Amino acid sequence: QADLVKAVQESLQGLTDLEGLLIEKYRIPKAALGKTLSTFFDCPYIPYDARTLADPQLLNNLSHDYLRRHHWLPLKRQDDILDVLIDNPHDLDIGHDIQRSFPGLTIRYALGLRCDIERFLNATIGDTDSGSITDTLGELVNDAHQEQSLDIDSDSIDENDSAIVRLANQIIVEAYRHEASDIHIEPYSDRKETAIRFRVDGSCSTYMRIPALYRRALVSRIKIMSSLDISERRKPQDGKIRFKLNQDREIELRVATLPTAGNNEDIVMRLLTAKEPLPLDAMEFAPATLTTLLDIVEKPHGIILCVGPTGSGKTTTLHALLRHLNTDERKIWTAEDPIEITQEGLRQVQIHPKIGFTFAAAMRSFLRADPDIIMIGEMRDKETADVAIEASLTGHLVLSTLHTNGAVETVVRLLDLGCDSFNFADAMQAVLAQRLCKRICVNCKDTYHPTAQEYDKLVHGYGKHAWEALGVGYREDFQLYRGRGCEACNQTGLKGRVALHELLSGSEELRNLIQNRAKTAEMQSLAAKEGMITLVQDGILKVLAGLTTYE
């Protein structure tokens, strides 16, 4: 109380307002102050967020200095409801001003701290920060007003408009800054705003919305950047963008366009940050799995498959294995589409299916080019699989990826493709299945004592017999981990990803089962008997180690 009285007296001397003093000098968290005021004024609190854009059209007839002096701004209008952000909803004089500025509208107040309102104003009016997405949008909105052509399909704004060019570049830079793996641009018909969504750590979220007027121009701009045909809107196209972030950093984006309802085109861009290959130790394999894998990789011939869904890090793992194998006495050929990771010492070949240069064709050429190790980007069909098996039986080590759900399913899938079961049984050395799951944020990681239900879930997921071997009982000191939520992880408690692995290695008994085309269940139980840790089990071990959560 004494501190508060002192702070109030200080603020009356007029150098800093009370709110600024409480935040800066008395170190009160903004969120706590906002929450308290929100309860007092009985209206929602909106903190500053670069992704929340005030509608610049609402500011057209208002003096910016006046808004800065009186700490309020109109955020958005829906039908006849206007949302206004203000630092004191009980100020009657300002209330009358707002009513006069927007006659006939119902005003809905939201509480904002003065410093946040200032930032919203800067972002919308574009006073201080010259290079933000919000200014670009503000500029576009003003252009649109001058055009006054509300016919959306008119080509009044074209893809070479400087603001559109900047907007496209800023979206890519922002996605890179947020460590997104994909950018989705989703236009709608009927003047509904175009959504731009980022996929970060495997989950999509809407990053921002842009006015419907620019959907054509933005899509065309991206098609120009990826050298696609901008006049063709009826069929899907795919291309690439090489984007220079700064002097020394360049990223590559894979672009796919798709015609969608309402005569629109969607665009999805995959960010390929051309990286150095990771070392194997950085991949968080279970120690036993890594030892087995390294033993198998040293064999002179056979097939090693890395399997999992799209974007589960298969190529990254294969490149890590190749990095381990990449010595002067081995000749390594790779066929990839596209080549995402480059490393010295590998001879990497880009596939061109359009001209008939497929994975199978590349494999056949490799066999004439004296390889020790061959890596194929993907086994999509029987032909490629057959050539790969053939190559492995003639004394080469073949690494490849495949889209399946688990290690044992892979074997069944290849036999379903029509591969010869005897040859495949001889060739198969190992199948490594993997997934990426979310990692607990390291900045706000916390321990807690789980409930009995949570413990039972873990036991059930891991398998009762196997769990007993771990010797982890439900005791007082049994602890799990979770993220509290902080600035770094956007209050989710999860940031970054961790890999889960399951390694099926070829044994004599397994080879017999493959030759007899046994059922998945039989192979699964044999693998478990031989000590294979499944994906779920590896995940639960990583839960116990505090890397991720069971959810």
Side-chain angles (χ1 to χ4, degrees), residues 71 102 135 142 155 182 200 204 295 300 316 338 349 360 373 399 480 515 545:
H71 313 291
F102 298 98
D135 316 342
N142 293 336
D155 292 327
D182 303 84
V200 180
C204 270
D295 285 350
T316 312
V349 175
I373 296 167
L399 308 179
L480 291 181
Q515 286 169 354

Side-chain angles (χ1 to χ4, degrees), residues 214-232:
Y214 315 107
R215 58 178 188 216
R216 280 280 159 80
L218 181 61
V219 167
S220 298
R221 173 66 202 155
I222 287 168
K223 283 163 87 171
I224 287 173
M225 289 167 79
S226 39
S227 321
L228 299 175
D229 176 1
I230 63 168
S231 61
E232 178 55 82

